[in-house]
């Protein structure tokens, strides 16, 4: 298990460019299973979750060629027998993104195998939305004898109307991919509409799918018999952009974040502005000047500021961890309400050990009382529980007084490419220990 040794207190300055979007990559890479023709995807990040998914596709027979951060996938000779193997089930159990292979395999091959997917340990993340959607399209489930594994199959999927029980991003993506080749028209109401879902839909339309309502929560998909190849480029990763805003606010001396695709960031910059952080827009770049002090807003009636996650275009839950760290050095108090995952706020115990003033009210709510930079966080030993808490703890350590050690950084590697070298280029002092 690798660790980061961080010498805190060094100011960051210069330019940094966000990687390709992790969540989009996992979706569109799975979509390449829908056709036997070549699909090229550009700007793919070199991170653990994406690399593991690419390896999983290779294992089932997909031909993959790499040119820099561009990959070409051709699924013209799939080994469906491998899906029944213990090796496949074990690999799926280590990667949550593997669940999005089900929709494409069901649509094109008429069957798929379901193993319990892995991923962050951030509370219960049910898959009911996926499977209810597949059942609406006519798929049936069968437990494989003597194994905790299910096979899902359908001779021919048929379009249907469905109202999703929640606006699940991965559930919406999975159902969209399954519906592209279903017979008739599928209507999905309460669909997730994040930019990454929009990107998936645009790529599928390039491949010959017929999808209307892109960007809304009401999608209509007219099934087609086959799909063909395409050429697609990933958006910048909005979560990485938000992470860099947080780093620049806490320990920056003027940081420019290049090529952010500002139109796709939604309210992320405004969430930091509510904490008093200055975020300047310059073309498609963001510039965060030195923040000697930042004052947390209050509501118009003077009540304490509350930041809560919500489905798009609301605030993504993936950035609440970073916003909590930033709030520890603001002037004022903030209530954070994490609605989706019941254990994602437990990492604040590490921040409290570093000297932060945080009251964890329950598994979903925490109140942060800012120090206004009058008291610096202190270095500590800690472990990264998940991707987003991991990057938040790294930001805290970079701003802290003294040296910190963060273990289990494989969690950070799942979502952030070559992070220590990119931040050291800005002036951070981060060392990776084996």
């Amino acid at each position: 298990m690798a660790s980061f040794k961080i010498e805190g207190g060094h100011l960051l300055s210069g330019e940094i460019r966000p990687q390709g979007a992790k969540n989009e990559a996992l979706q569109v890479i799975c979509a390449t299973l829908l056709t036997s023709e070549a699909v090229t995807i550009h700007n793919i990040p070199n991170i653990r979750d994406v690399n593991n998914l690419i390896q999983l596709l290779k294992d089932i027979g997909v031909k993959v060629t790499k040119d820099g951060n561009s990959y070409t996938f051709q699924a013209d000779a799939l080994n469906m027998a491998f899906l029944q193997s213990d090796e496949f089930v074990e690999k799926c159990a280590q990667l949550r993104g593997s669940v999005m292979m089900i929709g494409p395999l069901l649509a094109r091959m008429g069957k798929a195998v379901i193993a319990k997917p892995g991923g962050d340990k951030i509370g219960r993340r049910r898959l009911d939305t996926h499977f209810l959607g597949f059942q609406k399209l006519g798929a049936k489930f069968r437990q494989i004898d003597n194994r905790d594994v299910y096979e899902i199959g359908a001779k021919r999927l048929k379009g249907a109307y469905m109202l999703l029980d929640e606006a699940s991003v991965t559930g919406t993506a999975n159902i969209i991919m399954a519906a592209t080749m279903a017979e008739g028209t599928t209507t999905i109401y309460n669909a997730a509409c994040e930019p990454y879902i929009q990107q998936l839909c645009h790529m599928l339309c390039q491949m010959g799918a017929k999808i209307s309502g892109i960007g809304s929560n009401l999608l209509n998909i007219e099934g087609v018999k086959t799909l063909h190849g395409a050429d697609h480029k990933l958006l910048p990763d909005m979560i990485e952009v938000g992470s860099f805003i947080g780093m620049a606010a806490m320990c920056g001396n003027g940081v420019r974040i290049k090529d952010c695709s500002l139109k796709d960031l939604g309210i992320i910059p405004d969430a930091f502005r509510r904490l008093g952080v200055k975020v300047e827009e310059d073309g498609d770049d963001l510039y965060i000047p030195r923040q000697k002090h930042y004052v947390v807003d209050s509501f118009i009636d003077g009540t304490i500021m509350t930041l809560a996650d919500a489905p798009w275009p609301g605030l993504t839950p993936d950035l609440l961890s970073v916003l909590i760290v930033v709030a520890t050095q603001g002037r004022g108090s903030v209530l954070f309400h994490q609605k989706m995952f019941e254990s994602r706020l437990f990492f604040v115990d590490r921040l409290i050990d570093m000297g932060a003033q945080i009251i964890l009210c329950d598994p979903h709510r925490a109140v942060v009382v800012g120090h206004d930079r009058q008291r610096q966080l202190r270095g500590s030993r800690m472990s990264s529980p998940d991707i987003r808490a991991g990057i938040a703890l790294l930001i805290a350590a970079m701003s802290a007084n003294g040296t910190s050690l963060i273990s289990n950084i494989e969690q950070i590697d799942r979502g952030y490419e070559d992070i220590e070298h990119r931040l050291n280029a800005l002036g951070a002092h981060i060392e990776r220990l084996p």
Side-chain angles (χ1 to χ4, degrees):
M1 185 182 295
S3 302
F4 279 148
K5 180 181 177 183
I6 306 103
E7 185 180 297
H10 297 279
L11 293 178
L12 310 182
S13 61
E15 297 181 350
I16 193 166
R17 181 174 273 101
Q19 67 191 25
K22 167 186 178 280
N23 291 338
E24 181 187 348
L26 297 175
Q27 294 174 23
V28 298
I29 289 171
C30 289
T32 66
L33 294 169
L34 285 163
T35 178
S36 62
E37 297 185 16
V39 178
T40 299
I41 304 173
H42 306 281
N43 200 29
I44 290 183
N46 181 21
I47 55 178
R48 288 172 66 95
D49 274 11
V50 170
N51 293 338
N52 288 343
L53 180 62
I54 292 172
Q55 183 58 53
L56 196 55
L57 263 61
K58 290 180 180 178
D59 291 341
I60 64 170
V62 178
K63 300 181 181 72
V64 181
T65 56
K66 181 178 184 293
D67 182 12
N69 64 0
S70 298
Y71 286 75
T72 299
F73 303 85
Q74 187 161 10
D76 58 350
L78 294 179
N79 177 12
M80 295 301 290
F82 182 75
L83 272 66
Q84 305 282 349
S85 69
D86 291 337
E87 183 182 354
F88 176 78
V89 171
E90 184 178 343
K91 288 187 174 183
C92 288
Q94 298 170 12
L95 176 66
R96 185 169 181 82
S98 64
V99 74
M100 285 182 289
M101 296 170 59
I102 300 171
L105 288 171
L106 184 60
R108 183 172 161 216
M109 310 305 292
K111 65 178 181 179
V113 173
I114 301 166
K116 186 177 179 180
D120 287 330
K121 307 305 179 188
I122 52 175
R124 195 170 62 91
R125 302 176 74 180
R126 61 189 182 87
L127 298 175
D128 300 59
T129 303
H130 302 243
F131 303 143
L132 290 171
F134 296 147
Q135 287 178 321
K136 287 277 190 180
L137 295 173
K140 296 187 182 301
F141 293 84
R142 179 183 69 85
Q143 184 170 7
I144 297 176
D145 292 340
N146 303 318
R147 299 172 71 194
D148 189 21
V149 177
Y150 289 81
E151 185 176 84
I152 179 171
K155 290 183 179 178
R156 180 77 161 130
L157 297 177
K158 293 188 176 181
Y161 171 87
M162 61 186 78
L163 172 60
L164 302 188
D165 62 332
E166 64 174 354
S168 163
V169 176
T170 54
T172 299
N174 228 343
I175 296 166
I176 289 170
M177 290 187 281
T180 55
M181 291 197 284
E183 183 181 327
T185 299
T186 300
T187 298
I188 307 173
Y189 197 20
N190 194 30
C193 53
E194 272 80 353
Y196 304 145
I197 290 286
Q198 298 174 39
Q199 285 283 96
L200 171 66
C201 289
H202 291 314
M203 188 181 100
L204 292 172
C205 288
Q206 268 198 71
M207 296 169 68
K210 297 180 179 179
I211 306 173
S212 60
I214 298 172
S216 77
N217 68 346
L218 180 61
L219 296 174
N220 285 289
I221 304 161
E222 184 182 336
V224 297
K225 290 186 177 180
T226 59
L227 295 174
H228 52 73
D231 192 276
H232 178 77
K233 183 178 180 180
L234 302 183
L235 288 174
D237 194 307
M238 70 167 77
I239 312 304
E240 194 171 65
V241 172
S243 302
F244 292 155
I245 295 173
M247 289 177 189
M250 288 285 282
C251 46
N253 192 27
V255 174
R256 178 176 293 273
I257 309 170
K258 299 286 292 181
D259 301 328
C260 296
S261 190
L262 296 184
K263 65 182 179 60
D264 295 302
L265 292 181
I267 65 171
I268 288 173
D270 285 336
F272 286 94
R273 291 182 180 118
R274 284 190 161 192
L275 298 182
V277 176
K278 294 177 183 175
V279 181
E280 301 173 2
E281 299 179 6
D282 182 10
D284 213 23
D285 299 349
L286 289 176
Y287 179 73
I288 295 83
R290 175 80 181 273
Q291 316 275 327
K292 291 186 177 180
H293 294 277
Y294 44 96
V295 180
V296 177
D297 284 348
S298 58
F299 288 118
I300 292 173
D301 62 0
T303 54
I304 184 173
M305 173 58 60
T306 300
L307 288 176
D309 60 335
W312 185 268
L315 179 61
T316 171
D318 284 345
L319 277 176
L320 282 191
S321 302
V322 173
L323 288 160
I324 286 171
V325 171
V326 173
T328 65
Q329 293 301 321
R331 181 190 302 164
S333 300
V334 194
L335 169 64
F336 289 93
H337 191 172
Q338 164 62 267
K339 299 175 182 177
M340 291 180 62
F341 305 113
E342 62 268 20
S343 56
R344 206 168 198 173
L345 293 183
F346 289 164
F347 87 102
V348 302
D349 286 347
R350 282 82 160 181
L351 298 179
I352 294 169
D353 290 342
M354 298 176 78
Q357 292 185 308
I358 302 175
I359 303 166
L360 185 60
C361 307
D362 56 44
H364 291 276
R365 296 176 301 163
V367 175
V368 180
V369 181
H371 289 166
D372 192 23
R373 297 198 188 275
Q374 297 303 306
R375 284 193 298 168
Q376 200 173 356
L377 298 178
R378 55 181 176 266
S380 180
R381 296 175 66 96
M382 43 201 161
S383 177
S384 171
D386 64 76
I387 301 175
R388 308 311 175 186
I391 203 69
L393 293 174
L394 180 60
I395 295 170
M398 290 164 60
S399 69
N401 181 27
T403 299
S404 297
L405 191 70
I406 303 177
S407 61
N408 196 29
I409 60 169
E410 288 81 4
Q411 287 285 359
I412 301 174
D413 291 337
R414 288 178 50 216
Y416 294 86
E417 178 179 339
D418 197 23
I419 191 65
E420 72 271 27
H421 292 108
R422 295 161 72 201
L423 296 182
N424 286 343
L426 296 178
H429 285 213
I430 304 171
E431 180 184 357
R432 181 181 291 262
L433 304 178

